[in-house]
Amino acid sequence: MEKIIKGAGNAPHRSLYHALGMTNEELDKPMIGIVSSYNEIVPGHMNLDKIVEAVRMGVAMAGGNPVVFPAIAVCDGIAMGHEGMKYSLVTRDLIADSTEAMVRAHGFDALVMVPNCDKNVPGLLMAAARLNIPTVFVSGGPMLAGRVGGKKRSLSSMFEAVGQYNAGKIGMCELEEFECKVCPTCGSCSGMYTANSMNCLTEVLGMGLKGNGTIPAVYSSRIELAKHAGMAVMKLLENNIRPLDIMTEKAFMNALAVDMALGCSTNSMLHLPAIAHECGIDIDLDIANGISAKTPNLCHLAPAGPTYMEDLNEAGGVYAVMNELTKKDLLYTDCITVTGKTVAENIKNCVNLDPEVIRPIDNPYSSTGGIAVLKGNLAPEGSVVKRSAVLPEMLVHEGPARVFDCEEDAQAAIDAGKINPGDVVVIRYEGPKGGPGMREMLNPTSAIMGMGLGSSVALITDGRFSGATRGACIGHVSPEAASGGAIGIVKDGDIISINIPENTLELKISEEEFAARMASFVPKTKPLSGYLKRYAALVSSGAKGAILN
């Protein structure tokens, strides 16, 4: 701040700070930007005003001058299944760009980022890398699980209940009970969905304090965490520890390993490459498969299993998972973090308190990680599946394609009972360019599961899936249809072969037929305007993290 505060030539700047009510004493202190994602439309963000106030107090206690400015956020659950979902992924770059603009324009000395939900966390991590001034993250925390029929439930249960209702398996009274009980508190939805995945991985990257990903939103310890984040950023500023010192290539390898152990959302395979790109580090999907091959899956949090974020927190949280992985030397433990200490120092005494929630490393759910990248003639650049949430009988599957050029058409067919056991539902023109915006497909995947077809029907798309999706659902098929990808030449009745253990996804037609179809293929286009038109023109493949070129 000195360059825009000190000296006679900066008196005009000081006059504007005085217009804000700032005293000379405040202007003598480091100015710490607090990026607040608070709003009144996203359940994961409705409590962020309290988190921000706690951060302010922590910064002030440690000798800083806290100044708050906003960031936007979209609720993926509310945006799901309609035009609004086209505007979810695209906000990641808006958040990064607008935060960069605010910080550069006003000369902050350091930052505390206060995000919570899906694109908000990676967007602010991207901004932190670009700006490279001392930065700490503290999220709003996960929602507590709901309870329906004596069992813990979450948002994925709600979407599947709609499928059960449409199939006549439950009535309106039961559906209404789900509606009123699955989301009982503020916070990011209670399973290992995208928001919680990214908040947990922020701990692993070293950008958030212990508990950032798991302490429930309604716990008072979340307020304490926020105060400590405010204090921590002042220590980072004093020691000049910056995001690019923390988010190194080793840190990203750690994040991928813990991703596999936790069974995170497939969306992490979009966001980690995009964040790494801002750090000048290249992460491709082949790296993910290599890490998955040697990293066991230790957690089956919803939607993969019956445990929730509150359970992971009680079991020791992310640090306990990291500690398990060090028993087989699967992490780089010399990485520096926002605590000013190394990973090894941070996790030293963080033991696994519940082997039912965090499996010991010698007794994993599987010897390989929770995410798999599939390649083949249908996805030469790659595609992504949450392996840990696929039923064993669907790990290898062949079936006839049922092809749809948008999510709405696929949903209508599923709701009408037109999808049969064995089918492979193909939804295309929903990729980063073709959507545009790479919509999540939670509605059709949940309908398939709710109707009892999860053990016999697969779904592939050049779009993506919510972290709440479970089943043989393969997304990010690249190249996408709108870019001339092979998913665009699939016809109804074509046999599609999925082999998750062998990481393959194949269209079973002859090489001659494949070549002929590709030679004559002309991708469909859509009329676009506004931000989506600009986004579609600039966005890269999902295999590269859907970064803007």
Side-chain angles (χ1 to χ4, degrees):
M1 284 295 294
E2 277 195 32
K3 63 184 178 183
I4 62 173
I5 289 289
K6 303 297 182 181
N10 286 323
H13 298 124
R14 292 196 297 276
S15 72
L16 291 168
Y17 283 114
H18 289 307
L20 293 168
M22 285 192 190
T23 64
N24 287 330
E25 290 81 1
E26 286 173 293
L27 294 179
D28 282 337
K29 296 177 180 179
M31 190 168 291
I32 311 301
I34 303 175
V35 186
S36 171
S37 304
Y38 169 77
N39 63 49
E40 295 182 342
I41 191 62
V42 182
H45 290 231
M46 63 180 286
N47 65 319
L48 294 190
D49 54 342
K50 295 179 176 60
I51 302 297
V52 167
E53 284 307 307
V55 172
R56 286 175 66 105
M57 186 173 293
V59 168
M61 285 192 295
N65 178 19
V67 178
V68 179
F69 64 90
I72 64 169
V74 164
C75 176
D76 278 23
I78 294 174
M80 195 71 65
H82 59 89
E83 194 74 8
M85 182 46 73
K86 294 178 185 290
Y87 288 88
S88 172
L89 179 60
V90 305
T91 64
R92 186 185 71 183
D93 296 275
L94 285 174
I95 290 162
D97 293 348
S98 59
T99 302
E100 176 191 355
M102 285 294 289
V103 174
R104 292 291 189 219
H106 299 105
F108 291 101
D109 294 299
L111 297 169
V112 180
M113 305 290 200
V114 187
N116 210 27
C117 287
D118 296 45
K119 312 310 163 303
N120 197 238
V121 181
L124 290 178
L125 283 165
M126 290 164 66
R130 286 184 202 173
L131 294 162
N132 200 33
I133 60 175
T135 302
V136 175
F137 276 68
V138 57
S139 75
M143 185 183 290
L144 293 178
R147 288 187 179 271
V148 179
K151 294 181 179 180
K152 287 185 177 181
R153 304 286 189 174
S154 62
L155 186 65
S156 54
S157 308
M158 179 72 255
F159 277 89
E160 289 181 18
V162 175
Q164 292 175 310
Y165 174 77
N166 288 336
K169 295 185 176 184
I170 62 172
M172 181 56 72
C173 288
E174 291 89 345
L175 186 66
E176 289 176 349
E177 184 180 11
F178 273 91
E179 179 183 336
C180 295
K181 293 182 177 179
V182 295
C183 296
T185 70
C186 62
S188 48
C189 297
S190 55
M192 187 54 78
Y193 309 151
T194 307
N196 292 325
S197 295
M198 294 310 303
N199 280 319
C200 287
L201 295 181
T202 299
E203 280 190 61
V204 185
L205 283 170
M207 293 297 292
L209 299 177
K210 179 177 183 282
N212 180 63
T214 60
I215 297 172
V218 294
Y219 283 14
S220 296
S221 51
R222 174 65 57 178
I223 301 295
E224 295 180 44
L225 180 72
K227 291 176 183 176
H228 284 130
M231 298 179 212
V233 79
M234 297 303 296
K235 283 284 183 69
L236 291 179
L237 181 60
E238 178 184 341
N239 295 315
N240 195 29
I241 299 174
R242 298 168 181 252
L244 295 185
D245 300 322
I246 296 170
M247 290 193 286
T248 62
E249 185 172 358
K250 286 182 178 180
F252 281 100
M253 295 305 104
N254 285 349
L256 285 168
V258 177
D259 187 324
M260 299 302 170
L262 285 171
C264 288
S265 164
T266 52
N267 284 315
S268 63
M269 293 296 103
L270 279 176
H271 300 320
L272 287 175
I275 300 160
H277 175 76
E278 297 290 350
C279 297
I281 298 165
D282 183 33
I283 291 179
D284 62 34
L285 296 183
D286 292 327
I287 293 173
N289 263 356
I291 291 175
S292 180
K294 63 182 181 181
T295 308
N297 177 226
L298 304 181
C299 299
H300 267 191
L301 296 147
T307 53
Y308 295 82
M309 296 305 298
E310 62 202 68
D311 302 312
L312 179 60
N313 188 62
E314 295 302 317
V318 174
Y319 278 16
V321 175
M322 294 173 73
N323 203 347
E324 285 291 336
L325 294 180
T326 62
K327 294 175 183 178
K328 290 197 174 178
D329 296 322
L330 293 172
L331 294 181
Y332 296 100
T333 59
D334 58 343
C335 301
I336 196 70
T337 71
V338 291
T339 64
K341 300 176 181 179
T342 64
V343 168
E345 292 172 302
N346 286 342
I347 68 174
K348 182 178 180 182
N349 297 312
C350 298
V351 297
N352 181 359
L353 301 174
D354 190 341
E356 296 300 314
V357 177
I358 304 171
R359 287 278 186 94
I361 196 148
D362 292 323
N363 182 33
Y365 281 102
S366 68
S367 60
T368 53
I371 287 177
V373 174
L374 313 185
K375 288 190 174 183
N377 66 356
L378 197 50
E381 292 180 3
S383 60
V384 181
V385 62
K386 189 170 185 174
R387 181 192 345 225
S388 59
V390 178
L391 293 170
E393 57 266 38
M394 290 299 291
L395 289 170
V396 178
H397 180 76
E398 277 196 7
R402 296 295 309 281
V403 182
F404 304 94
D405 285 345
C406 65
E407 178 189 1
E408 288 83 357
D409 290 350
Q411 187 68 46
I414 295 167
D415 290 344
K418 295 180 179 179
I419 302 303
N420 301 311
D423 285 349
V424 178
V425 176
V426 177
I427 306 177
R428 61 194 181 193
Y429 293 103
E430 291 287 7
K433 285 184 181 294
M438 208 176 186
R439 287 196 287 181
E440 290 183 344
M441 304 289 164
L442 183 56
N443 276 359
T445 61
S446 297
I448 286 169
M449 296 302 295
M451 296 172 80
L453 295 171
S455 61
S456 61
V457 171
L459 191 153
I460 70 170
T461 180
D462 52 10
R464 60 194 178 94
F465 297 114
S466 165
T469 289
R470 64 189 179 104
C473 302
I474 300 159
H476 310 194
V477 171
S478 301
E480 62 177 292
S483 295
I487 192 172
I489 67 168
V490 181
K491 297 180 180 179
D492 272 335
D494 285 347
I495 300 300
I496 292 175
S497 174
I498 299 163
N499 192 317
I500 295 172
E502 294 187 6
N503 305 113
T504 60
L505 179 63
E506 295 282 342
L507 176 61
K508 305 290 280 189
I509 59 175
S510 70
E511 291 184 11
E512 293 78 13
E513 174 69 11
F514 188 95
R517 289 191 196 181
M518 289 297 291
S520 62
F521 175 44
V522 178
K524 295 181 179 181
T525 58
K526 300 175 182 177
L528 298 172
S529 62
Y531 181 56
L532 290 183
K533 184 175 182 179
R534 283 179 280 144
Y535 183 87
L538 296 173
V539 71
S540 74
S541 163
K544 296 181 179 178
I547 60 173
L548 298 187
N549 293 315

